[in-house]
Amino acid sequence: KQEVTQIPAALSVPEGENLVLNCSFTDSAIYNLQWFRQDPGKGLTSLLLIQSSQREQTSGRLNASLDKSSGRSTLYIAASQPGDSATYLCAGRWETSYDKVIFGPGTSLSVIP
Amino acid sequence: DAGITQSPRHKVTETGTPVTLRCHQTENHRYMYWYRQDPGHGLRLIHYSYGVKDTDKGEVSDGYSVSRSKTEDFLLTLESATSSQTSVYFCAISERAVTVEAFFGQGTRLTVV
């Protein structure tokens, strides 16, 4: 059974700091992994999608990496801003359960001005 | 935002009553999903659909049923609501299976008392 975990559950950093959010998964035969952002009371906004053949994806101040052998993905946020405060979730899809996506519990990020 | 609407946005119901949540899309996407989100669990897949009248179970399908009679509508029914089904429910749509859910609805907060 594939499982996704995210540690820590909450993180608080001062504005301007670079930070890394962690995502771990149990099955290295991952098809792709995606990072989402969720603002309070809102739905999910897709940030980055990494296919199994890729090692990283970048969008603006965000960089996501994928290491299948170690079962880890990281989301790097450069020069954090108060507007980055949100919950960040990672989600994976595996070759053996193609149509299903498994989410981690999320990391709640607070960027303090 | 993508053309995806969930209704109702909030509902309070009594234990034992049936409840139906509606997801409506205007994107003509083939795949539609229902998730529930609970603290510490992230999003868990309840049911999904890969076409009109084609549905399959997710990891937490007990106590739920779905129907999709038209491309644009995906209904989630709680046959006899229980307090454990108090949650926030999200609908998602995807154009292709190879991509993780592209768009999420705003969520429905359901309270069973």
Side-chain angles (χ1 to χ4, degrees):
Chain A
K1 178 182 178 183
Q2 294 98 357
E3 295 182 351
V4 180
T5 56
Q6 293 182 251
I7 296 174
L11 181 64
S12 183
V13 300
E15 181 178 3
E17 190 166 294
N18 301 326
L19 62 100
V20 173
L21 303 179
N22 297 301
C23 173
S24 298
F25 48 91
T26 55
D27 185 347
S28 61
I30 193 166
Y31 189 83
N32 61 40
L33 187 135
Q34 189 162 2
W35 284 90
F36 291 87
R37 168 184 173 141
Q38 184 178 29
D39 293 292
K42 302 292 186 180
L44 277 70
T45 300
S46 176
L47 297 174
L48 290 164
L49 170 67
I50 309 176
Q51 302 291 351
S52 61
S53 58
Q54 300 171 323
R55 290 194 61 85
E56 63 179 51
Q57 283 285 327
T58 298
S59 176
R61 294 183 294 109
L62 305 180
N63 177 276
S65 67
L66 177 64
D67 185 341
K68 294 193 299 179
S69 61
S70 66
R72 294 183 60 188
S73 176
T74 60
L75 179 66
Y76 174 84
I77 302 177
S80 58
Q81 303 170 357
D84 294 331
S85 298
T87 296
Y88 291 81
L89 298 100
C90 63
R93 172 173 285 169
W94 279 263
E95 296 168 4
T96 54
S97 52
Y98 196 67
D99 283 337
K100 302 177 184 177
V101 177
I102 299 172
F103 279 83
T107 294
S108 177
L109 173 66
S110 295
V111 180
I112 310 302
Chain B
D1 289 343
I4 177 170
T5 306
Q6 290 184 232
S7 58
R9 293 293 312 280
H10 302 271
K11 186 172 182 65
V12 179
T13 192
E14 294 184 349
T15 298
T17 61
V19 177
T20 295
L21 309 182
R22 181 185 184 225
C23 178
H24 178 78
Q25 62 150 327
T26 58
E27 305 295 325
N28 200 37
H29 286 188
R30 178 181 177 185
Y31 289 83
M32 299 186 75
Y33 303 78
W34 276 108
Y35 288 89
R36 60 177 290 174
Q37 184 176 34
D38 304 290
H41 288 278
L43 276 80
R44 292 180 291 176
L45 181 64
I46 304 172
H47 282 280
Y48 67 100
S49 168
Y50 47 95
V52 174
K53 299 189 187 305
D54 294 323
T55 64
D56 203 352
K57 297 179 179 180
E59 62 180 306
V60 290
S61 60
D62 288 348
Y64 301 94
S65 62
V66 291
S67 66
R68 189 170 180 197
S69 58
K70 298 184 292 185
T71 298
E72 57 266 34
D73 289 324
F74 193 33
L75 304 180
L76 176 70
T77 297
L78 287 65
E79 294 140 10
S80 178
T82 67
S83 59
S84 65
Q85 294 175 311
T86 293
S87 186
V88 180
Y89 291 85
F90 285 98
C91 174
I93 62 175
S94 175
E95 190 169 41
R96 297 177 299 161
V98 295
T99 57
V100 180
E101 290 72 43
F103 305 110
F104 278 77
Q106 297 300 296
T108 295
R109 183 172 296 277
L110 176 68
T111 303
V112 183
V113 299

